[in-house]
Structures are given as C-alpha cells and as structure tokens.
Amino acid sequence: SNMSLMTPPDNVSDDDATEQDAVVSLDEDGNVEEENAQYSGIAAFIQSQYRRSKDRRLADEDRWLMGYRNYRGIYGPEVQFTDSEKSKAFVKITKTKVLAAYAQITDVLFAGSKFPLGIEPRKQPAGVAGAVSYDPNEITEEKVQETAGVAYKPPRSVMRPELERLGVYENTLKPVEGELTEGQGKTPSAITFEPAKKAAMLMERTMHDQLSESEAWKHLRSVAFEACLFGTGILKGPFAYDKEYANWDDEGNYSPEYKTIPKVEYVSIWDFYPDADARNMSECEYTVQRHRLNRSQMRALKRRPHFRDESIELAIDYGTNYVRQYWEDSLDESGLVDSIDRYEVLEYWGILDAELAEEADIDLPPEFEDRDEVQVNAWVCNGQIIRLVINPFTPTRIPYSAVPYELNPYSFFGIGVAENMEDTQLLMNGFMRMAVDNGALSGNLIVEVDETNLVPGQDMSIYPGKVFRRQQGAPGQSIFGTKFPNVSNELLMMFDKARQLADESTGIPSYAHGIGGVMGVGRTASGMSMLMGAAAQNIKTVVRNIDDYLLRPLGKALYAFNMQFNFNEDYAKGDLDVFARGTESLMRNEIRSQRLLQFMQMSANPAMAPFIKYDYILREMAASLDLDEDKILNDPREAMLQAKMMQEIAQMMPQQPQAAPQGGVPSVNDPTGSGGGNIGPGNAPEPGAPGFTGEGGGDNGGQQPSI
C-alpha cells in the first residue's frame, strides 16, 4: 500500500513526532509524478478548503487593515482630501491605546516569577489519596510490648493496603512503621503527605521548565500584541522539537547536545485560515496555515520526518508560485509587485473523508478502516503533496489556539482596541486637520489691492518697507489687509471631546497610561486608586479571555503531550487538572498580599490557631511577593524535622546566666543578687552590708576600714 506505519528515527526535529509514537505517513514509491497525479483529489480538496476560508475572511481583513493603518498613522485609499486641505496630519492615539492595553496584559501575565499556568489535583482525586498521615508518637500495641520489655517490630516486608493510593510517595512510605490513615493528621506530632498535590507540583514544575526552554514568553507576547491590535492572537503548539545546546569536548571540538522539548510558536493572524463556518477553535473541522518559503527553506523540509523528498524537488522544479495578497502591500510597503521569488505552502490540519482516501488508492491501517473520516496533517505546494500523516496527537486535536481580545460570539475573530476606536480616531484626525488649516489661514494676512489708483506693472509682493506708487484718483487707501478669524480653540475642544470618547470606547482611560490632568476625585490618592481599580475592570475581562482561550488549552495540550511522549507513572496517578492563573496573577498584583496579611492579623487569637493552615498561608504570601515558595519554605515533614533539630540544638547549647534583678547585683555571698537592700546600679555597698569588700578609694584616700 502507499500508506505505511512508520516509526521516526532517533533525534528527530519534527513538529509533531518523537521516537515514542508511530506516525502513519505517505511514502514515495515508484513514479512520483504519477503518484501525485493520483493524489490530486486530496490537494484539490485542501485548496478548496483554503479558498472557502479565504473568501469568508475578506470582511475581517478589511477590519484588520483599518486597525493597522490607524496604528501606523497611515491614511487609507478611502480617505479623499479636498483641494483646500493643506494639512494631512494623523494623530496616532490608536497606537497609544493599543500599546497601553498590550503593556497591561504583559504586566499581568509576565510580572510574576512563574508562568501563569498551574497544575492542581482535583477536589476528590481518583486512584490516589488526597492526603495521608501517620503519627510517630502514636501509642500502638507494638510500642506497649516494647515498653514491657518485649523487643518486637513489625516486619518491613508487610505491605499495607494504603500504599496502593500513595502515588509519588509509594516508595518513600514503604519503610514507615506505624499506621497510615487517609486524611490530614489529627495530632500535633502527626506528619501529613499529599500525594496528589505532590504529583501536581512536579508536573507544574516540568511544564514551566519546558516553556522556559522553548522561550514561550516571546511567542506569547506576540500573540498578546496581535490580540490587542487586531482582536485575535494565534498560538501554535506544542510540538516536539530538538533544541541544540552548545557543548565542547575535551579537545576543543564543538559537539552540541540535543534535547527534545515541546515547542510553541506564534502564528500571524494574516497567515491563519480557520474553518469558514466555525465560531471558535472547538468547532473547527480544519485549519490552514499559509507559509512563504524560499528554496533553502523548502529543501530544509527534507530533513524533517515524513516529508517526501522527491515531491519537494518536483514542487521546486515547477517554479515559484507565491502570489502576494492585496493586504500585503499595506503591511510591508515593498511595492505593488504581484509575485515574488517564493513558494506558497499550505499546511492543513483537519479531517479527510475516507472516500477521498479510497479514490487516491490510499490503504488506511486497520484501526482507521471503519471510520468515515480521519484527522490528518498535509502540506501542499504547487499541487504536490509534500507531506501527509495521520494526526499523531492523543487525544486528537488541532494544534492551534485562538484568543480574542474582546469576544464576538457570532464570529471566529474577536474585536481589538483599534476597531473599538475607529470612529473616534477618524474624528480626532478631522478636527486636528481643521485646526491646523485654520491656524495656518488665520496666521497670515489676506491682502486686497485696488489697482485703479496704482502705477501699472508694480510687484505685488509684500515685505517690510514696501512702497506702492499711485498715479491718480481720489485720495484714499488702495491696499487693504484682512485677518481671517481663528477658531482653533473651538476645534481643539472638539478634538479633546473625541479623545475622551476614545477613552470610553476602549475602556482604557488616559490616566491609566501616564497622561495627567485628572480633576475632581482623581486629585486625591484614594480617589486615584478608585479610578485605577475601575479602569482595571476592562483588562480583567481580557485576561479572563486569555485564561479560557489560550492558557488553559495550552496547559491541557502540554499535559497531554507529556503523558503521551514523556510518560511518568507518578503523574498518571495524580489525577491532575490544569488551571490558568492570569486572573489570579492580576489579583495578586493588586490586593492579594494585603488580604493575606489582614487574615494573619485576624488569626492571631490563640483560640483560632488550631483552625488555620499556616503552611498554605505562608506559601501564598511568598507567591504574592514573587518568591519561589519551593525554595524558601519547607513542607510539613521538613518543617517538623527542622523544628526537632532546632530543639536539640537549643538543648545542647550552654545555659546563659540570667540577668540580675532590679534590686541588687550578684556577689560572692549573694550570687543571685537578691539581697543587699538598695544595692544596685549606681549604689555603693555600705559597711557591714553583703558585698562590701573594705577596699577604699576616692575620698577615703585608699584606707581600708575594718569589717
């Protein structure tokens, strides 16, 4: 058959394959041109899906172009200036608002020391205990026998049934002597272990390391910027990627090391064509990503698994086929050239009907024969299928996430800042141009000349000291100056009103990004705090969209990736769930630490102490201060060991002498210093009193009185 089950070789650097998975791919066998002609139905199907998405996206492209021009300060072709308009000024308030929204989002998402993505156990984890505890000081029958002189210890080979639900602590608690009980410890000396929480912490740390290794921060910032500007940001991944680490051997030769990590990347919204009838990614049957590659990049695809080498060379021999879209001229401003020396490659993720596979004489593996459709990944260039594989992810997913800035429930693409203030930007530009033209007109003198009384042929230029010669006529003025009225102040007032409307339409007040002049309640610190809190309401909605449509899907995909390709039994027993913490990060930045401190003050009452989990409060306070709680805090078991060590050290330290009481000082006869009446600091002992030595000095002239 033309479809075979292939296992990628070691050290692959592919988007979606590692050595653990088996990928069904299309082999090259025989005459490649005849095979590709046979598979032309699949290529035509992908092209038709691409054209459907492209046609449906036209209205959205107009919105994006308008937003991009307003951001760059460029007038579109639809703006026509009259002959009397001299000024063509463009006031780029849209750029200020977009960058303000982008700065707020990045400050919320990336201000902390941790990536805003967390793993937590479920409230009632299945297959693993939420918490187990044992008390080393618990009085058991065995301990009673030991006290009575019977040397008895339970054999360590005896396994308790609780070990089946201990997860990551299974090996740790095997040698523990004592009864394990499920739940939190009930006594002060009890030690509590949380297997589900420990597995969640290990998986979260693994995911954070992977995101840092792949530099996911850069790609997420690009996604956030396009979400603010155009209304939608696209993130692709995670994919398996072999990262190169610099290394030199003992002889000084460069021998890099490679490590397979999951990688995410930003995809421009202009190159992303989703299902034409879908309203969100969960409804998408397919997506198409448009690539622009040169010859070197095309040939570099041969080094990636499951790309068909001869088909790639055939597509290159057919010549470049990249055609510039109409919107590309506005984006890169490189001219009006229709075609460039590049290849257009379409990357398709979605369903493929079984009928098309049968028409192309593609024999699917037995596990796919009874299905009406299969999920595939196909690359097409110049009508040639240069790659065709069955979707390798388990569970099957399309590896794209689309996050809206402002949700549009009836469209796939969201609404951005630039679109929200399109009309107000138009008004501000109009009023500013009118004010500039009026200022230029009113700043110059309009001259009227009566030539009937002047000598013909005179120069009509005006300058200081100019002399006009009259020839005849009744006495009177022949040159008149007219000043045009200046209405710039009224026009600038209209401009300020339009700018205020821009604040209202975007939900980003001017004072939120550094512009002063706030009057009224904003003149006080508490009033400004109230205004800033109200201004943050809009950004909270955006961060919630990022949580729901970007971070949580990314976390689930990354968790599934690790379970599929980097399987760890401890994680499998953790019963874990993914949580996005963008909104929590915003909360932490504002008042979370203050609330924790208030709660600590409230719980200072000793009667409340048994009800408080201080270890949790300490972890949350450390996190609110952007500190790594795993490095500075002990878990309950380590805390008990630390407390015991401190207690033993305190017992080993020598006792320090106590300070003398207020009433006296220690002496030979009275070492406690309790006697002596008025003996104390600043008081000399009297003769006959305890502590008197009889040594004279001072006014006594060194005489030694007798006792």
Side-chain angles (χ1 to χ4, degrees), residues 470-487:
R470 294 171 55 94
Q471 59 180 357
Q472 61 182 1
Q477 186 175 357
S478 300
I479 301 175
F480 303 89
T482 303
K483 180 173 176 54
F484 197 82
N486 189 335
V487 293

PDB file of all heavy atoms in Angstrom, residues 470-487:
ATOM      1  N   ARG A 470       1.320 105.424  -6.550  1.00  0.00           N
ATOM      2  CA  ARG A 470      -0.002 105.779  -7.069  1.00  0.00           C
ATOM      3  C   ARG A 470       0.175 106.726  -8.245  1.00  0.00           C
ATOM      4  O   ARG A 470       1.141 107.456  -8.350  1.00  0.00           O
ATOM      5  CB  ARG A 470      -0.829 106.469  -5.991  1.00  0.00           C
ATOM      6  CG  ARG A 470      -1.167 105.553  -4.809  1.00  0.00           C
ATOM      7  CD  ARG A 470      -1.789 106.355  -3.679  1.00  0.00           C
ATOM      8  NE  ARG A 470      -2.948 107.111  -4.093  1.00  0.00           N
ATOM      9  CZ  ARG A 470      -4.211 106.698  -3.995  1.00  0.00           C
ATOM     10  NH1 ARG A 470      -4.471 105.520  -3.436  1.00  0.00           N
ATOM     11  NH2 ARG A 470      -5.206 107.443  -4.408  1.00  0.00           N
ATOM     12  N   GLN A 471      -0.837 106.746  -9.092  1.00  0.00           N
ATOM     13  CA  GLN A 471      -0.734 107.645 -10.246  1.00  0.00           C
ATOM     14  C   GLN A 471      -1.814 108.727 -10.251  1.00  0.00           C
ATOM     15  O   GLN A 471      -1.575 109.845 -10.635  1.00  0.00           O
ATOM     16  CB  GLN A 471      -0.818 106.840 -11.539  1.00  0.00           C
ATOM     17  CG  GLN A 471      -2.112 106.039 -11.704  1.00  0.00           C
ATOM     18  CD  GLN A 471      -2.130 105.259 -13.007  1.00  0.00           C
ATOM     19  OE1 GLN A 471      -1.198 105.381 -13.787  1.00  0.00           O
ATOM     20  NE2 GLN A 471      -3.174 104.488 -13.236  1.00  0.00           N
ATOM     21  N   GLN A 472      -2.994 108.428  -9.801  1.00  0.00           N
ATOM     22  CA  GLN A 472      -4.065 109.417  -9.840  1.00  0.00           C
ATOM     23  C   GLN A 472      -5.227 108.894  -9.024  1.00  0.00           C
ATOM     24  O   GLN A 472      -5.140 107.858  -8.387  1.00  0.00           O
ATOM     25  CB  GLN A 472      -4.523 109.668 -11.282  1.00  0.00           C
ATOM     26  CG  GLN A 472      -5.072 108.412 -11.955  1.00  0.00           C
ATOM     27  CD  GLN A 472      -5.480 108.673 -13.403  1.00  0.00           C
ATOM     28  OE1 GLN A 472      -5.339 109.781 -13.894  1.00  0.00           O
ATOM     29  NE2 GLN A 472      -5.982 107.659 -14.077  1.00  0.00           N
ATOM     30  N   GLY A 473      -6.320 109.619  -9.118  1.00  0.00           N
ATOM     31  CA  GLY A 473      -7.525 109.191  -8.439  1.00  0.00           C
ATOM     32  C   GLY A 473      -7.722 109.935  -7.142  1.00  0.00           C
ATOM     33  O   GLY A 473      -6.870 110.699  -6.678  1.00  0.00           O
ATOM     34  N   ALA A 474      -8.862 109.750  -6.606  1.00  0.00           N
ATOM     35  CA  ALA A 474      -9.210 110.415  -5.346  1.00  0.00           C
ATOM     36  C   ALA A 474      -8.343 109.871  -4.225  1.00  0.00           C
ATOM     37  O   ALA A 474      -7.929 108.710  -4.249  1.00  0.00           O
ATOM     38  CB  ALA A 474     -10.683 110.189  -5.028  1.00  0.00           C
ATOM     39  N   PRO A 475      -8.053 110.753  -3.269  1.00  0.00           N
ATOM     40  CA  PRO A 475      -7.253 110.266  -2.140  1.00  0.00           C
ATOM     41  C   PRO A 475      -7.995 109.130  -1.409  1.00  0.00           C
ATOM     42  O   PRO A 475      -9.205 109.153  -1.262  1.00  0.00           O
ATOM     43  CB  PRO A 475      -7.100 111.507  -1.245  1.00  0.00           C
ATOM     44  CG  PRO A 475      -7.398 112.669  -2.130  1.00  0.00           C
ATOM     45  CD  PRO A 475      -8.384 112.197  -3.145  1.00  0.00           C
ATOM     46  N   GLY A 476      -7.222 108.201  -0.964  1.00  0.00           N
ATOM     47  CA  GLY A 476      -7.825 107.071  -0.246  1.00  0.00           C
ATOM     48  C   GLY A 476      -6.864 105.883  -0.216  1.00  0.00           C
ATOM     49  O   GLY A 476      -5.797 105.908  -0.825  1.00  0.00           O
ATOM     50  N   GLN A 477      -7.267 104.873   0.487  1.00  0.00           N
ATOM     51  CA  GLN A 477      -6.435 103.685   0.654  1.00  0.00           C
ATOM     52  C   GLN A 477      -6.640 102.735  -0.510  1.00  0.00           C
ATOM     53  O   GLN A 477      -7.773 102.470  -0.920  1.00  0.00           O
ATOM     54  CB  GLN A 477      -6.777 102.980   1.978  1.00  0.00           C
ATOM     55  CG  GLN A 477      -5.866 101.821   2.298  1.00  0.00           C
ATOM     56  CD  GLN A 477      -6.163 101.253   3.664  1.00  0.00           C
ATOM     57  OE1 GLN A 477      -7.016 101.784   4.372  1.00  0.00           O
ATOM     58  NE2 GLN A 477      -5.455 100.189   4.028  1.00  0.00           N
ATOM     59  N   SER A 478      -5.550 102.251  -1.070  1.00  0.00           N
ATOM     60  CA  SER A 478      -5.627 101.316  -2.196  1.00  0.00           C
ATOM     61  C   SER A 478      -5.309  99.883  -1.788  1.00  0.00           C
ATOM     62  O   SER A 478      -5.597  98.945  -2.545  1.00  0.00           O
ATOM     63  CB  SER A 478      -4.646 101.743  -3.299  1.00  0.00           C
ATOM     64  OG  SER A 478      -4.956 103.034  -3.761  1.00  0.00           O
ATOM     65  N   ILE A 479      -4.675  99.674  -0.625  1.00  0.00           N
ATOM     66  CA  ILE A 479      -4.283  98.336  -0.159  1.00  0.00           C
ATOM     67  C   ILE A 479      -4.976  98.082   1.171  1.00  0.00           C
ATOM     68  O   ILE A 479      -4.883  98.900   2.095  1.00  0.00           O
ATOM     69  CB  ILE A 479      -2.763  98.235   0.000  1.00  0.00           C
ATOM     70  CG1 ILE A 479      -2.071  98.515  -1.340  1.00  0.00           C
ATOM     71  CG2 ILE A 479      -2.371  96.854   0.524  1.00  0.00           C
ATOM     72  CD1 ILE A 479      -0.582  98.552  -1.256  1.00  0.00           C
ATOM     73  N   PHE A 480      -5.677  96.953   1.255  1.00  0.00           N
ATOM     74  CA  PHE A 480      -6.456  96.611   2.447  1.00  0.00           C
ATOM     75  C   PHE A 480      -5.987  95.244   2.980  1.00  0.00           C
ATOM     76  O   PHE A 480      -5.787  94.312   2.200  1.00  0.00           O
ATOM     77  CB  PHE A 480      -7.955  96.548   2.123  1.00  0.00           C
ATOM     78  CG  PHE A 480      -8.491  97.822   1.532  1.00  0.00           C
ATOM     79  CD1 PHE A 480      -8.473  98.026   0.157  1.00  0.00           C
ATOM     80  CD2 PHE A 480      -8.994  98.813   2.346  1.00  0.00           C
ATOM     81  CE1 PHE A 480      -8.958  99.192  -0.389  1.00  0.00           C
ATOM     82  CE2 PHE A 480      -9.489  99.987   1.800  1.00  0.00           C
ATOM     83  CZ  PHE A 480      -9.465 100.186   0.431  1.00  0.00           C
ATOM     84  N   GLY A 481      -5.806  95.122   4.278  1.00  0.00           N
ATOM     85  CA  GLY A 481      -5.426  93.853   4.922  1.00  0.00           C
ATOM     86  C   GLY A 481      -6.608  93.283   5.700  1.00  0.00           C
ATOM     87  O   GLY A 481      -7.275  94.000   6.447  1.00  0.00           O
ATOM     88  N   THR A 482      -6.861  91.982   5.498  1.00  0.00           N
ATOM     89  CA  THR A 482      -7.982  91.297   6.166  1.00  0.00           C
ATOM     90  C   THR A 482      -7.438  90.122   6.977  1.00  0.00           C
ATOM     91  O   THR A 482      -6.696  89.296   6.444  1.00  0.00           O
ATOM     92  CB  THR A 482      -9.007  90.780   5.147  1.00  0.00           C
ATOM     93  OG1 THR A 482      -9.467  91.880   4.369  1.00  0.00           O
ATOM     94  CG2 THR A 482     -10.181  90.104   5.856  1.00  0.00           C
ATOM     95  N   LYS A 483      -7.809  90.049   8.252  1.00  0.00           N
ATOM     96  CA  LYS A 483      -7.382  88.939   9.116  1.00  0.00           C
ATOM     97  C   LYS A 483      -8.513  87.919   9.181  1.00  0.00           C
ATOM     98  O   LYS A 483      -9.640  88.237   9.549  1.00  0.00           O
ATOM     99  CB  LYS A 483      -7.028  89.437  10.507  1.00  0.00           C
ATOM    100  CG  LYS A 483      -6.583  88.331  11.456  1.00  0.00           C
ATOM    101  CD  LYS A 483      -6.085  88.908  12.759  1.00  0.00           C
ATOM    102  CE  LYS A 483      -5.735  87.797  13.743  1.00  0.00           C
ATOM    103  NZ  LYS A 483      -4.790  86.825  13.207  1.00  0.00           N
ATOM    104  N   PHE A 484      -8.171  86.634   8.869  1.00  0.00           N
ATOM    105  CA  PHE A 484      -9.174  85.566   8.884  1.00  0.00           C
ATOM    106  C   PHE A 484      -9.442  85.160  10.325  1.00  0.00           C
ATOM    107  O   PHE A 484      -8.506  85.063  11.129  1.00  0.00           O
ATOM    108  CB  PHE A 484      -8.664  84.376   8.071  1.00  0.00           C
ATOM    109  CG  PHE A 484      -9.724  83.399   7.680  1.00  0.00           C
ATOM    110  CD1 PHE A 484     -10.523  83.632   6.572  1.00  0.00           C
ATOM    111  CD2 PHE A 484      -9.937  82.266   8.423  1.00  0.00           C
ATOM    112  CE1 PHE A 484     -11.498  82.739   6.201  1.00  0.00           C
ATOM    113  CE2 PHE A 484     -10.911  81.363   8.073  1.00  0.00           C
ATOM    114  CZ  PHE A 484     -11.700  81.595   6.951  1.00  0.00           C
ATOM    115  N   PRO A 485     -10.690  84.918  10.704  1.00  0.00           N
ATOM    116  CA  PRO A 485     -10.987  84.569  12.112  1.00  0.00           C
ATOM    117  C   PRO A 485     -10.361  83.227  12.498  1.00  0.00           C
ATOM    118  O   PRO A 485     -10.364  82.277  11.727  1.00  0.00           O
ATOM    119  CB  PRO A 485     -12.516  84.510  12.150  1.00  0.00           C
ATOM    120  CG  PRO A 485     -12.938  84.310  10.729  1.00  0.00           C
ATOM    121  CD  PRO A 485     -11.913  85.010   9.896  1.00  0.00           C
ATOM    122  N   ASN A 486      -9.842  83.149  13.733  1.00  0.00           N
ATOM    123  CA  ASN A 486      -9.193  81.941  14.268  1.00  0.00           C
ATOM    124  C   ASN A 486     -10.185  81.193  15.158  1.00  0.00           C
ATOM    125  O   ASN A 486     -10.600  81.693  16.198  1.00  0.00           O
ATOM    126  CB  ASN A 486      -7.953  82.339  15.081  1.00  0.00           C
ATOM    127  CG  ASN A 486      -7.116  81.135  15.467  1.00  0.00           C
ATOM    128  OD1 ASN A 486      -7.604  80.029  15.554  1.00  0.00           O
ATOM    129  ND2 ASN A 486      -5.830  81.374  15.687  1.00  0.00           N
ATOM    130  N   VAL A 487     -10.551  79.968  14.739  1.00  0.00           N
ATOM    131  CA  VAL A 487     -11.480  79.135  15.516  1.00  0.00           C
ATOM    132  C   VAL A 487     -10.770  77.853  15.984  1.00  0.00           C
ATOM    133  O   VAL A 487     -11.418  76.841  16.240  1.00  0.00           O
ATOM    134  CB  VAL A 487     -12.731  78.785  14.678  1.00  0.00           C
ATOM    135  CG1 VAL A 487     -13.558  80.020  14.394  1.00  0.00           C
ATOM    136  CG2 VAL A 487     -12.324  78.087  13.374  1.00  0.00           C
TER     137      VAL A 487
END
